[in-house]
Amino acid sequence: MAPSDETSKEEQPPAKDGDAKKMQKALPQAARPPKPAPLMQQLYVWSQALGLVMKYSADSSQLRRQFIVVGIASLVRTGTLLWKMRLNELQVFYQNSGQLQNWIRTMWQGFVGGLAIAMLTSWHSRAEKALARIWRTALTNNLHRTYFASSHFYQIAQGGSASGAITDADVRLTEDVPKLASSVSSLLCNIVAGVIDVGAFTAILARQGKFGVLYAITTQLYGITLYVLANYVIIVDFARLLGGVAVTDSALRQGLNRAETHADSICALQGGATELRSLLAKLTANVQAKMRSYIEQEGLNSVLYYTIMSCMENTPLLWMTYLWGCAAPLAGHTIRASSDSSQLGYTERSPLIAQGYSRGIQTFWAGNYLMFGTFRIVSSMHQVLQNYASIVRIQELDKKLSATAAPPASVHAAEDNRMEFKEVSIHTPSGALLVDKLTFCVRWGESLLLTGHNGAGKSSIFRCMGGLWPIHQGTIWRPTATEETVQSIGLTGAAYYLPQRPYNALGTLAEQFCYPDPPPSSLTEQELRRWLDFADLGYLANLPGAFNEELDWEKILSRGEQQRLAILRLFWRRPQFAVLDECTSAVTGEIERRLFEICPLLGISCITIAHRPALLQYHQQQLTLTGKPHEKNGGWHSAKIAQSVAAFDPTSVSEVNAADAIEKYLARRDVKLTEHRRKETVEITRQRTGMLSPKANDCNTTSPKVSKRWWHPALVAGLRQPGAGWRLVTMFVALLLRTHICLETWKSVGGIIAASLCFNRRKTLQELARNIGLTLVNLVLDRVVSRCTQRLCLMLHEGYATIIHDLMLKKHAIHYGMALQLPSVMPPGVRAGEGATFAGAVETFLNQSLKANLMAFYGGFWALRNQGWRVMACFLINLPIHQLVMRWLMPNYAAHSAVLADTEAKFKTVHGRFRQNLEPIAFSGGGRAEQQIVERRFNNVLKYQENLDNEELVYQGLSAFLTDGSLLPLSFMRILSMYYTYTVSNVTQTGTISALELDNMWKFDRATSLVFNHIGAICRLPEALMGVVGAAWRLAEFAHGLEHAAKQAPEIAGPGAASNSAELVLTANCVDIVAPKAGDALALSVNFEVREGKALIITGPNASGKSLLSGYVAGLRPLPGQDAKITLGGLCIGQHRPHMSELLLIPQRPYLAPGGLGDQVAYPHEGASQAPEKLLKCLDIVGIAYLVERHGGFDKEPELPWDEILSGGEQQRIGIARCIFHMPKFAILDECTSMVSQDTELGLYQDCLGFVPPNVGGLRQEKT
């Protein structure tokens, strides 16, 4: 919001616009904590992450309960794993020694143990999610509590980047907090489970003697030492890389929000191409930052994956070589200790082979679980680093909020109910002096008129009074309703601020009326209707859902209706002082008169910021600011007003009932209330309905249905980029080769085992060397797949976003989608950013599901070819069971992901909406009210997440039991292995087995294990696809909605397209003005004609359709009805929009784009390509040529956005200068001079008409 004389506000811009190079300059600026060494840096990050979450949740009983749940689940799960590991050892021993009955018994026990492990793991996973949800709730609620308190949200955004201003708090609270909570929850749960696993399995290995102890110690040192060494040898600057990604992510997100907020202005100025270039530059910078992060972490990730992280995916790399390189010799040592021979033959049968192999299995599994426990801790620590930027950004926000200063001590409570400044020097946050030693006093009962030219500091006086700006010299007294009010920030108690553009809260009509306080129980529907009639707003009570639904009143109400509702809010609150900042610029003279005549009746003293001399009669004093603070008078002077109304006696009105007093006033003046207007509107609507055919009515629907298809070509548009094809082919070839190499790597382990059991050291070393070579090849192939996957997914994101951004801006579909109120495009800013979510879902599918499915199908093919139908039979037994579980228990993940994304989008949208209105909310003291609105949406997110977690608890447990390779699929593998043992060897007769038979059996087991270890990927393929399809459905729906909106948008004609005729005429025929949401007809068959050189003024009460008519004429809204037609020369505006050189709309609040001062004047053209003399002349005509020198020329882009630098009047003059620059044949002036003085307004019209060629026509919208 721009108040009428808003001056410089040092607020860091959301993001600097420009090309991608400009964006890259911001990347190294991410905050970095001190880090003397890589490990110390990581320890610092972990400690900060833990400190942040524990700071706000240390006393949470719910948190303690979840920790107990995690601990119990981990203990019981580990105990069950120990039992299951012992059963695995016995199963192998009984199988290879021919003890069938004992084998069957252990199989049933393994079945029960596997089910218990699966359910405990699901329970543990649910507890981990619950912890993340608790920490997210604690962090968000506590940050909200501080953020929304007083005006902290306003203060942290002030001062510019030099003072550490935070302007993207909404992004940090909605996106960074969940990442932090999730990573810390995963870290702590894995630490608890990992420590228990390490302790338990270390004890198991210690039972095997000194070699077992040594094995346990080296296994733990393996993971920890390699992780530390890798981080010291391959140093990665996480602060620069991940901080850069966070900066560009935030810039892109806020660029999309800006495009949504100013969609109508961008469309009116035909600036879509300009905004598209800026947005694509942000997208390119974001993609480059992510790719740079991938590449520079590749070396460290490759080493960690080869040595540690692949254990988490059961990929046979160095960890597997290490485990079997230790377990097999230990098993051989056990046999040697029991054997008389120094070496067994490779084909020699011996009962010791089965015993040693089962001992090797136990040693392997103990080492595997021990290593897994160590690795899960290391992996979680590494995962926390991936959220490095989120941790630092939340830490910055937390420190900034904690350090936010209290209201300045120079603001005091006035016990005698006065508002006084005594020698106050007013500076902007950047230090610029506006007014020096200002002194004035207004007592309760008196009124003051504050005047001065734009940028002189009128609104800045009240920023200081409200505590929004610091005071360096002088003292301020203000009245207070309570002792606490003076300690708060804003003007919402005994002094109340009423801006030109009121803030409109989300909520019911009663909540909007009472904002920021909750509606009292005494405010019944009948009483609210009574109050609404006082400002001719009674018809608002008849809007659908006005009393029981949360509505966006910013979109429902016209500017005049917003101002009238704000006036009613003032009457309802009855403060002692009202600061009226051009608050009647969009209402009729009658409403303005009511305001100034009713305020004294209610005991309200007015301090009015205005430019119209007609308001002098309502005030006793006048304070004028000259804008020259360095002159002798300090840039101000005051005087008494002659022939003004007398001050009222506060004691005589203190007991007056407000509603009764207003009714008596209206009755005395014989003012008719709004019931007749409502009846008139209903009658017009009835007439229009009777006049229109059913076909016409169908054409007028405000929310056309859009086909809900889950596919759109934009989803794969990125694959048409150069290099995408060969990357795709390379990825699939590498995946196929990797699958074969994985099988060969697993088979090679059999040679290590057989050679070790035969005490053949040379053969063991040869097999180890072969195995290491295969793991290295596997690593290379895996890294190729990973790099191709990452780049392809970035291409998908970039390709989709490029098409969507083009639709949104170049074709202005974002404006027409919101104008048509299409549900499929709402909210466009958030939904346009979901392309990254889709790319992430595809990457997860490729890395986790596709790899595993290829392994399963390849292993199945190999086993089917070598062992026949039995492998597939066991597989087909498992598959239908899982399908039944999916049918009856699996949540609908596609629907759930869509709903969850929608609830998250609403939460982000309302946070972004709040961020766009910091100053008016701070002035009105609405922080707590906004907190309730935001937290309602936040609670919806938490509730839905909790319900989904509860719904999938049983399904995840049963699904894991059926698909986890170490649970039920392992039983099928044991059955097949037992069948192989019985059919291939005669172990059942002899009770012995040879190393060669053991090696062959191992190879058979590894082939079947590829099927059963990855059967979960096959069974969960529909679930994995649902995640991708759910994300794709939302993106496709959004794309189809934008395409539908783009088809409704008229094409922009070229320059001179309307000037074919000899005389240019703007004509409107049979135009019905229809309210877009309610569908009420406001006027029927509007006809007018404006010729070159002539002008037309449009007048009417608020909400009568003036702005709607302007939108029809400018081509911003589709014309209702079949016969409606607006033409400009030979151009039909319903089909084509005139070029801005022929028709230009200048709104009340001009759009100020990123860029230099020249870019503002020449928008949508680039200022650098225009003649400086022409730009300077345009600014000089409107009286703001001084801005060129003040801001360093035409090309220098300021650090702050222009609407934070220029006052409201200066912004409106920029809009008029823009009109002069483009010299349109027709200009629609929609209250575009409401914030400049009356004499300046006349001068602007005279100068403009004198400068623009005489054939210019003006279509001006005015209040009556």
Side-chain angles (χ1 to χ4, degrees):
M1 187 202 76
S4 59
D5 69 333
E6 185 175 335
T7 49
S8 301
K9 290 185 276 184
E10 294 296 320
E11 183 175 328
Q12 175 77 6
K16 286 190 174 185
D17 291 79
D19 56 20
K21 292 183 179 179
K22 288 184 180 179
M23 288 299 305
Q24 296 304 321
K25 294 179 181 179
L27 302 188
Q29 296 176 3
R32 308 182 193 182
K35 45 180 179 49
L39 184 60
M40 297 307 297
Q41 173 195 4
Q42 296 183 20
L43 290 174
Y44 178 86
V45 173
W46 300 327
S47 66
Q48 291 303 310
L50 291 172
L52 278 173
V53 297
M54 297 305 297
K55 176 180 178 181
Y56 294 118
S57 55
D59 298 329
S60 173
S61 58
Q62 188 180 13
L63 181 66
R64 288 193 293 271
R65 286 197 301 270
Q66 289 302 327
F67 266 125
I68 293 173
V69 169
V70 169
I72 293 175
S74 300
L75 279 171
V76 177
R77 173 182 170 275
T78 301
T80 312
L81 281 174
L82 291 173
W83 179 48
K84 184 72 164 56
M85 184 186 70
R86 174 60 178 166
L87 291 176
N88 288 338
E89 177 188 2
L90 292 175
Q91 287 170 5
V92 172
F93 175 72
Y94 293 150
Q95 172 185 330
N96 294 319
S97 60
Q99 302 180 44
L100 182 60
Q101 295 296 326
N102 290 332
W103 180 84
I104 295 175
R105 175 174 53 83
T106 55
M107 287 294 293
W108 279 110
Q109 292 173 344
F111 180 87
V112 175
L115 182 60
I117 290 172
M119 298 308 298
L120 287 168
T121 302
S122 180
W123 188 29
H124 186 279
S125 175
R126 180 181 176 277
E128 180 180 326
K129 294 176 182 177
L131 271 178
R133 194 166 54 251
I134 291 171
W135 273 322
R136 182 184 181 184
T137 304
L139 266 175
T140 303
N141 288 342
N142 282 279
L143 288 173
H144 276 175
R145 190 174 298 116
T146 310
Y147 179 62
F148 289 104
S150 189
S151 66
H152 293 171
F153 52 84
Y154 179 83
Q155 290 178 306
I156 65 172
Q158 302 301 303
S161 58
S163 62
I166 295 177
T167 60
D168 60 347
D170 56 324
V171 178
R172 300 183 190 217
L173 288 166
T174 58
E175 296 189 5
D176 291 331
V177 168
K179 294 177 183 177
L180 170 62
S182 178
S183 61
V184 173
S185 173
S186 176
L187 173 63
L188 290 184
C189 288
N190 282 319
I191 286 177
V192 171
V195 168
I196 293 174
D197 285 351
V198 168
F201 290 104
T202 298
I204 291 297
L205 288 173
R207 292 170 56 189
Q208 299 186 16
K210 60 181 181 180
F211 291 106
V213 174
L214 181 63
Y215 178 42
I217 294 174
T218 55
T219 300
Q220 296 175 56
L221 290 177
Y222 170 87
I224 297 172
T225 304
L226 285 176
Y227 182 78
V228 172
L229 287 176
N231 277 277
Y232 271 92
V233 173
I234 308 174
I235 299 176
V236 176
D237 190 348
F238 290 100
R240 179 177 60 84
L241 295 177
L242 302 178
V245 173
V247 167
T248 55
D249 268 336
S250 180
L252 180 60
R253 173 79 60 190
Q254 297 200 21
L256 291 169
N257 289 340
R258 181 184 182 89
E260 176 183 350
T261 303
H262 301 284
D264 54 345
S265 298
I266 294 171
C267 182
L269 295 170
Q270 302 174 11
T274 301
E275 299 298 323
L276 179 62
R277 286 194 298 271
S278 174
L279 207 55
L280 290 181
K282 289 182 173 66
L283 174 64
T284 301
N286 181 243
V287 171
Q288 290 176 353
K290 289 181 178 178
M291 198 63 213
R292 185 181 300 107
S293 176
Y294 290 150
I295 293 173
E296 295 194 23
Q297 292 185 67
E298 182 65 26
L300 177 62
N301 287 341
S302 297
V303 172
L304 292 179
Y305 186 80
Y306 180 61
T307 57
I308 299 174
M309 304 303 180
S310 53
C311 176
M312 315 299 290
E313 300 178 6
N314 202 31
T315 301
L317 295 181
L318 188 63
W319 66 271
M320 185 269 299
T321 305
Y322 164 78
L323 285 179
W324 276 112
C326 295
L330 281 175
H333 176 76
T334 303
I335 296 177
R336 178 175 294 183
S338 305
S339 174
D340 297 333
S341 174
S342 61
Q343 183 173 348
L344 292 174
Y346 204 61
T347 59
E348 181 180 350
R349 292 178 176 273
S350 171
L352 296 177
I353 296 291
Q355 180 184 350
Y357 180 57
S358 62
R359 180 60 58 88
I361 288 291
Q362 183 193 38
T363 304
F364 169 78
W365 280 109
N368 183 67
Y369 285 126
L370 176 61
M371 181 175 285
F372 188 82
T374 305
F375 285 2
R376 71 190 303 178
I377 298 174
V378 172
S379 176
S380 298
M381 289 180 173
H382 188 70
Q383 189 61 38
V384 171
L385 289 179
Q386 301 305 308
N387 295 314
Y388 180 98
S390 297
I391 296 170
V392 174
R393 282 159 58 81
I394 294 300
Q395 185 184 36
E396 288 176 350
L397 177 61
D398 181 55
K399 289 182 177 179
K400 187 72 174 180
L401 289 172
S402 300
T404 302
S410 50
V411 178
H412 303 283
E415 296 180 358
D416 54 349
N417 295 325
R418 73 185 189 279
M419 191 174 287
E420 181 178 0
F421 278 58
K422 186 174 182 180
E423 296 188 348
V424 176
S425 295
I426 298 176
H427 298 76
T428 67
S430 62
L433 180 64
L434 298 176
V435 185
D436 192 26
K437 296 184 178 180
L438 175 64
T439 301
F440 71 89
C441 180
V442 182
R443 298 188 180 279
W444 189 17
E446 301 175 346
S447 295
L448 171 73
L449 181 65
L450 180 56
T451 60
H453 68 76
N454 302 128
K458 300 186 294 296
S459 294
S460 303
I461 293 175
F462 301 102
R463 293 194 188 98
C464 295
M465 176 176 289
L468 301 185
W469 282 9
I471 304 165
H472 303 289
Q473 179 181 347
T475 307
I476 299 175
W477 286 270
R478 74 181 190 191
T480 58
T482 62
E483 183 63 30
E484 288 77 21
T485 305
V486 76
Q487 299 301 324
S488 63
I489 292 183
L491 296 175
T492 184
Y496 188 75
Y497 180 74
L498 210 61
Q500 183 186 45
R501 189 184 184 198
Y503 174 67
N504 300 282
L506 294 172
T508 64
L509 183 57
E511 291 170 337
Q512 176 73 8
F513 176 73
C514 298
Y515 184 84
D517 300 326
S521 57
S522 59
L523 186 65
T524 62
E525 181 177 334
Q526 182 179 1
E527 181 68 9
L528 181 55
R529 289 177 182 272
R530 177 190 182 192
W531 275 91
L532 292 172
D533 272 342
F534 295 157
D536 299 341
L537 291 174
Y539 57 87
L540 294 182
N542 299 315
L543 289 176
F547 290 96
N548 53 21
E549 293 183 15
E550 188 177 80
L551 303 178
D552 188 351
W553 296 99
E554 179 73 27
K555 298 178 180 178
I556 294 173
L557 303 180
S558 69
R559 183 63 55 83
E561 289 172 317
Q562 293 175 26
Q563 289 190 350
R564 283 187 283 162
L565 192 56
I567 291 171
L568 287 180
R569 192 183 296 159
L570 170 67
F571 293 162
W572 168 265
R573 299 182 67 86
R574 290 186 66 180
Q576 294 175 347
F577 289 85
V579 179
L580 310 178
D581 191 352
E582 288 287 353
C583 67
T584 58
S585 61
V587 300
T588 63
E590 166 61 25
I591 295 296
E592 184 177 71
R593 179 181 176 183
R594 290 186 203 177
L595 169 64
F596 286 103
E597 291 183 354
I598 290 176
C599 278
L601 300 178
L602 303 182
I604 302 173
S605 290
C606 295
I607 300 178
T608 306
I609 300 174
H611 302 288
R612 294 186 298 283
L615 299 181
L616 287 170
Q617 60 179 314
Y618 300 112
H619 302 81
Q620 292 80 44
Q621 303 179 53
Q622 182 176 9
L623 176 63
T624 303
L625 304 185
T626 64
K628 300 176 181 179
H630 298 289
E631 292 185 349
K632 186 177 180 180
N633 62 0
W636 63 275
H637 60 82
S638 62
K640 297 288 185 180
I641 300 175
Q643 299 179 350
S644 63
V645 297
F648 65 85
D649 181 8
T651 59
S652 64
V653 297
S654 58
E655 301 299 328
V656 172
N657 181 277
D660 293 341
I662 297 173
E663 281 187 341
K664 290 179 181 178
Y665 166 81
L666 296 175
R668 186 170 63 250
R669 293 192 54 234
D670 195 26
V671 175
K672 294 181 180 180
L673 300 182
T674 57
E675 187 63 21
H676 73 283
R677 174 61 184 166
R678 187 187 67 82
K679 291 180 179 179
E680 180 183 349
T681 301
V682 171
E683 179 62 22
I684 293 175
T685 303
R686 187 190 64 78
Q687 294 176 9
R688 180 174 185 270
T689 304
M691 293 166 55
L692 294 176
S693 64
K695 182 178 180 180
N697 281 321
D698 292 340
C699 295
N700 293 327
T701 177
T702 57
S703 300
K705 294 183 179 180
V706 181
S707 175
K708 292 186 177 181
R709 290 173 287 174
W710 70 272
W711 173 255
H712 191 277
L715 294 172
V716 294
L719 299 182
R720 293 194 291 268
Q721 296 185 34
W726 68 262
R727 283 187 174 91
L728 195 61
V729 172
T730 302
M731 181 190 72
F732 279 107
V733 170
L735 273 173
L736 293 174
L737 292 175
R738 174 187 177 277
T739 302
H740 177 72
I741 296 298
C742 278
L743 179 59
E744 293 300 317
T745 306
W746 276 116
K747 288 181 180 179
S748 68
V749 174
I752 299 175
I753 298 172
S756 298
L757 294 179
C758 294
F759 324 135
N760 192 334
R761 182 175 300 176
R762 181 180 177 183
K763 180 69 172 177
T764 302
L765 293 175
Q766 289 177 347
E767 293 295 337
L768 277 171
R770 178 172 177 268
N771 181 271
I772 292 174
L774 290 171
T775 61
L776 289 173
V777 174
N778 199 355
L779 173 68
V780 172
L781 293 173
D782 194 271
R783 293 299 89 189
V784 169
V785 171
S786 177
R787 176 67 66 85
C788 290
T789 301
Q790 290 168 349
R791 187 65 184 118
L792 285 170
C793 290
L794 282 178
M795 286 180 171
L796 285 176
H797 175 208
E798 188 175 16
Y800 174 83
T802 300
I803 291 178
I804 291 302
H805 295 170
D806 185 84
L807 275 172
M808 289 171 58
L809 293 168
K810 194 172 181 180
K811 297 184 178 180
H812 300 291
I814 184 173
H815 164 74
Y816 289 100
M818 292 193 297
L820 292 169
Q821 301 175 20
L822 295 175
S824 57
V825 303
M826 303 299 290
V830 174
R831 296 195 68 168
E834 292 179 358
T837 305
F838 170 68
V842 173
E843 184 175 0
T844 301
F845 173 77
L846 293 176
N847 286 330
Q848 297 181 6
S849 184
L850 184 60
K851 283 182 182 179
N853 273 279
L854 284 175
M855 295 284 286
F857 284 117
Y858 183 80
F861 170 76
W862 190 91
L864 182 65
R865 188 185 65 177
N866 290 276
Q867 303 300 326
W869 57 270
R870 295 172 185 85
V871 174
M872 297 308 298
C874 289
F875 173 77
L876 292 176
I877 292 174
N878 194 324
L879 192 59
I881 298 176
H882 189 269
Q883 292 301 315
L884 289 175
V885 172
M886 287 178 59
R887 179 176 180 181
W888 294 107
L889 296 177
M890 187 181 76
N892 188 342
Y893 284 105
H896 282 309
S897 62
V899 175
L900 187 59
D902 186 59
T903 54
E904 287 277 12
K906 291 178 179 177
F907 175 50
K908 294 175 183 178
T909 300
V910 75
H911 243 302
R913 185 180 187 274
F914 173 81
R915 171 63 188 85
Q916 298 292 330
N917 296 276
L918 294 182
E919 185 170 277
I921 295 173
F923 260 126
S924 64
R928 290 305 184 195
E930 293 298 315
Q931 180 182 354
Q932 294 177 4
I933 295 172
V934 169
E935 290 187 349
R936 279 201 296 267
R937 282 163 174 74
F938 178 58
N939 291 334
N940 289 338
V941 174
L942 295 178
K943 184 178 179 180
Y944 198 85
Q945 285 181 331
E946 184 176 7
N947 291 338
L948 178 58
D949 292 343
N950 292 335
E951 186 178 344
E952 66 180 5
L953 174 64
V954 176
Y955 166 72
Q956 292 292 349
L958 290 178
S959 179
F961 171 67
L962 294 171
T963 60
D964 190 318
S966 63
L967 301 179
L968 182 63
L970 181 62
S971 300
F972 285 114
M973 290 168 54
R974 289 279 178 257
I975 293 172
L976 290 171
S977 182
M978 188 66 171
Y979 172 79
Y980 178 85
T981 303
Y982 268 64
T983 56
V984 175
S985 67
N986 57 352
V987 65
T988 54
Q989 288 81 23
T990 63
T992 59
I993 193 172
S994 68
L996 178 62
E997 291 174 323
L998 191 66
D999 187 17
N1000 292 330
M1001 185 183 67
W1002 171 270
K1003 292 177 180 178
F1004 170 79
D1005 286 349
R1006 289 316 97 199
T1008 56
S1009 70
L1010 284 184
V1011 180
F1012 291 104
N1013 281 343
H1014 298 93
I1015 193 173
I1018 298 175
C1019 293
R1020 294 188 178 220
L1021 184 60
E1023 178 184 330
L1025 286 173
M1026 279 185 182
V1028 177
V1029 170
W1033 181 86
R1034 280 183 61 83
L1035 297 187
E1037 180 191 44
F1038 183 55
H1040 286 302
L1042 289 177
E1043 286 183 340
H1044 179 82
K1047 291 178 182 177
Q1048 307 302 313
E1051 295 289 335
I1052 298 177
S1059 304
N1060 298 329
S1061 57
E1063 183 181 18
L1064 194 61
V1065 182
L1066 178 63
T1067 305
N1069 294 311
C1070 299
V1071 177
D1072 296 341
I1073 303 177
V1074 182
K1077 184 169 185 178
D1080 293 334
L1082 306 177
L1084 291 178
S1085 300
V1086 176
N1087 301 285
F1088 62 80
E1089 180 180 279
V1090 186
R1091 296 183 177 275
E1092 294 183 52
K1094 303 297 181 181
L1096 173 70
I1097 185 168
I1098 302 175
T1099 61
N1102 299 132
S1104 59
K1106 301 186 297 297
S1107 294
L1108 285 174
L1109 180 58
S1110 298
Y1112 295 151
V1113 174
L1116 302 181
R1117 291 183 176 275
L1119 291 173
Q1122 284 185 319
D1123 301 327
K1125 187 176 183 181
I1126 298 178
T1127 60
L1128 179 63
L1131 197 67
C1132 181
I1133 292 181
Q1135 300 174 359
H1136 295 85
R1137 285 180 57 200
H1139 191 266
M1140 61 188 310
S1141 63
E1142 295 178 324
L1143 179 66
L1144 184 64
L1145 173 64
I1146 308 298
Q1148 185 182 43
R1149 189 189 184 196
Y1151 170 61
L1152 301 178
L1157 185 61
D1159 296 319
Q1160 308 312 311
V1161 178
Y1163 188 86
H1165 305 312
E1166 293 185 0
S1169 61
Q1170 309 301 319
E1173 296 80 8
K1174 183 178 180 181
L1175 297 174
L1176 182 62
K1177 187 173 183 179
C1178 294
L1179 293 176
D1180 186 54
I1181 288 174
V1182 298
I1184 53 174
Y1186 60 85
L1187 293 178
V1188 179
E1189 182 179 355
R1190 178 187 295 179
H1191 297 288
F1194 286 108
D1195 300 330
K1196 184 178 179 180
E1197 181 177 354
E1199 183 181 8
L1200 306 178
W1202 285 103
D1203 52 8
E1204 301 286 347
I1205 296 174
L1206 302 179
S1207 69
E1210 289 171 330
Q1211 293 181 41
Q1212 288 194 337
R1213 294 180 190 226
I1214 286 285
I1216 299 173
R1218 189 178 288 160
C1219 178
I1220 296 172
F1221 176 85
H1222 291 290
M1223 291 179 19
K1225 302 294 181 65
F1226 285 84
I1228 305 175
L1229 310 179
D1230 188 357
E1231 289 283 2
C1232 65
T1233 56
S1234 61
M1235 287 182 276
V1236 299
S1237 61
Q1238 192 170 26
D1239 55 342
T1240 304
E1241 181 182 34
L1242 294 174
L1244 286 173
Y1245 276 104
Q1246 291 171 359
D1247 291 338
C1248 288
L1249 291 174
F1251 176 75
V1252 181
N1255 62 339
V1256 171
L1259 179 62
R1260 186 187 180 200
Q1261 175 181 316
E1262 279 282 3
K1263 63 183 176 66
T1264 304

